[in-house]
């Protein structure tokens, strides 16, 4: 088994990565950052997001494992003091994995070019100065004219991140769904949006046709892009999925409770 270790820059992560490297080589694993079978991230959920983008072209061949150096995260099943248990689990690996949906984003520009992205958490479109105005289409049918700060389209695993801050629902990642949430929409007698999160079915897509301003900001997970003049952005559930090597099961709702509610009395 070829393993890549991706760590963030904090001292605890470097320490854990050193220890893991040592134990993996001692147990006969090969370290390979170019063509790994398994990518182990050490840091937080953000570290896993970074590794996802680094290996986005190899998603059908790679399984991910997240080690968290702080509290447990949503993409991280292991803590840094469990390195020994993780190596034992890897030695007994039988290829077990779980997979989750991703978001496919296609942006068309006025000059006829387009760009394509995959997101693990979400993509947003915002305007840097002034109100964002965009028409929203569902399955190519006009749905609403949005005015406000922006719109966020998220995956089920991304539903506990930015989307949740926008009042979105937390979605179990076994559902193949895509959620649209509003970022500060303007609603009055003149402007009207749904003003509620929208959860779409697997075969549906959303298209934004923003007014032609130059100052949009598009975010794909932790990355920000200032695109050239956008004519349309289409969001749909991707054909690709992300695979995690899952050696032990933690119920999704336990994770949600642990992250957001904390110890019960
Ligand atoms: P960050 O600023 O460290 O992320 C903000 C927080 O979101 C961190 O605590 C991060 O956990 C957590 N997080 C990331 N993915 C999550 C998920 N799927 N479920 C629950 N929490 C999650 O930046 P980052 O680590 O590079 O993460 C980028 C993400 O930040 C974006 O994809 C977006 O979802 C989120 N974000 C949120 C807001 C907002 O809520 N207003 C604004 C911008 C971005 P770790 O500490 O474990 O990394
Ligand atoms: Mn982070």
């Amino acid at each position: 088994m070829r393993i890549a270790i991706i760590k963030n820059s904090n001292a605890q992560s470097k320490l854990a990565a050193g220890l893991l490297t040592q134990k993996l080589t001692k147990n006969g694993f090969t370290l390979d950052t170019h063509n790994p079978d398994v990518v182990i991230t050490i840091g937080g959920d953000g570290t896993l997001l970074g590794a996802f983008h680094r290996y986005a072209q190899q998603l059908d061949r790679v399984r991910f494992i997240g080690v968290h150096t702080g509290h447990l995260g949503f993409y991280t099943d292991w803590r840094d003091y469990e390195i020994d248990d993780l190596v034992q689990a890897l030695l007994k690996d039988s290829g077990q994995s779980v997979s989750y949906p991703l978001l496919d984003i296609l942006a068309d520009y006025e000059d006829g070019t387009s760009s394509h992205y995959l997101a693990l958490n979400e993509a947003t479109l915002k305007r840097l100065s002034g109100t964002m105005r965009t028409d929203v289409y569902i399955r190519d049918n006009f749905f609403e004219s949005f005015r406000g700060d922006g719109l966020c389209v998220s995956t089920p695993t991304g539903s506990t991140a930015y989307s949740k801050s926008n009042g979105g629902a937390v979605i179990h990642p076994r559902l193949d769904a895509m959620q649209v949430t509003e970022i500060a929409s303007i609603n009055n007698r003149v402007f009207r949006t749904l003003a509620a999160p929208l959860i779409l079915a697997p075969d549906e897509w959303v298209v934004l046709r923003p007014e032609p301003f130059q100052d949009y900001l598009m975010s794909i997970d932790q990355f920000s892009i200032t695109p050239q003049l956008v004519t349309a952005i289409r969001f749909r559930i991707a054909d690709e999925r992300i695979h995690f090597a899952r050696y032990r099961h933690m119920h999704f709702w336990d994770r949600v409770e642990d992250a957001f509610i904390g110890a019960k009395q």
Side-chain angles (χ1 to χ4, degrees):
M1 186 191 280
R2 295 181 306 270
I3 298 180
I5 300 174
I6 306 292
K7 58 181 187 302
N8 68 6
S9 58
N10 95 33
Q12 211 180 331
S13 301
K14 286 182 185 161
L15 210 64
L19 196 65
L20 180 61
T21 306
Q22 205 182 355
K23 299 205 166 169
L24 288 176
T25 27
K26 203 171 122 202
N27 282 282
F29 292 100
T30 309
L31 293 174
D32 181 345
T33 47
H34 295 291
N35 282 301
D37 303 303
V38 170
V39 173
I40 304 177
T41 67
I42 304 180
D45 280 328
T47 319
L48 193 287
L49 284 173
F52 162 76
H53 285 280
R54 178 163 171 178
Y55 293 99
Q57 307 302 321
Q58 303 173 47
L59 291 179
D60 52 341
R61 299 193 296 277
V62 167
R63 287 180 296 154
F64 291 85
I65 294 174
V67 177
H68 211 294
T69 39
H71 53 90
L72 253 192
F74 281 88
Y75 297 116
T76 48
D77 290 348
W78 300 83
R79 303 285 302 274
D80 55 344
Y81 53 76
E82 296 175 308
I83 298 283
D84 278 327
D85 299 340
L86 174 56
V87 174
Q88 287 309 312
L90 283 161
L91 284 167
K92 294 193 203 98
D93 175 76
S94 57
Q96 58 268 61
S97 73
V98 289
S99 74
Y100 300 125
L102 298 169
L103 184 68
D104 180 294
I105 304 117
L106 184 69
D108 291 332
Y109 305 115
E110 202 190 41
D111 65 2
T113 61
S114 58
S115 41
H116 178 240
Y117 304 95
L118 277 184
L120 175 53
N121 268 350
E122 78 286 293
T124 69
L125 185 71
K126 296 185 263 195
R127 208 182 144 208
L128 289 175
S129 68
T131 306
M132 179 172 103
R133 298 184 211 156
T134 183
D135 283 346
V136 180
Y137 293 77
I138 298 178
R139 297 188 66 122
D140 298 334
N141 293 319
F142 175 76
F143 184 72
E144 67 181 12
S145 278
F146 175 92
R147 282 163 200 258
D149 284 4
L151 284 164
C152 170
V153 186
S154 87
T155 63
T157 54
S159 69
T160 45
Y162 203 159
S163 176
K164 185 173 175 291
S165 304
N166 301 331
V170 172
I171 298 182
H172 196 292
R174 217 159 47 224
L175 294 174
D176 283 334
M178 177 173 88
Q179 179 167 209
V180 182
T181 50
E182 301 181 342
I183 308 171
S185 61
I186 301 174
N187 268 287
N188 53 33
R189 276 196 275 185
V190 184
F191 307 128
R192 178 103 4 252
T193 66
L194 181 67
L198 204 91
I199 298 171
L200 293 114
D203 61 346
E204 296 187 316
W205 62 95
V206 168
V207 178
L208 306 183
R209 295 188 185 281
E211 286 194 9
F213 296 116
Q214 294 283 1
D215 57 343
Y216 288 108
L217 184 73
M218 190 156 75
S219 77
I220 309 285
D221 297 335
Q222 75 276 43
F223 299 111
S224 287
I225 300 151
T226 41
Q228 36 169 321
L229 216 53
V230 175
T231 51
I233 307 183
R234 188 209 59 200
F235 303 88
R236 64 177 184 88
I237 297 171
D239 298 328
E240 301 90 337
R241 293 171 69 89
I242 183 169
H243 299 268
F244 286 86
R246 181 62 50 92
Y247 299 124
R248 56 182 183 192
H249 188 67
M250 186 173 177
H251 282 287
F252 177 68
W253 299 115
D254 288 341
R255 223 181 268 262
V256 173
E257 188 269 339
D258 183 71
F260 298 117
I261 299 168
K264 292 191 185 80
Q265 295 297 313

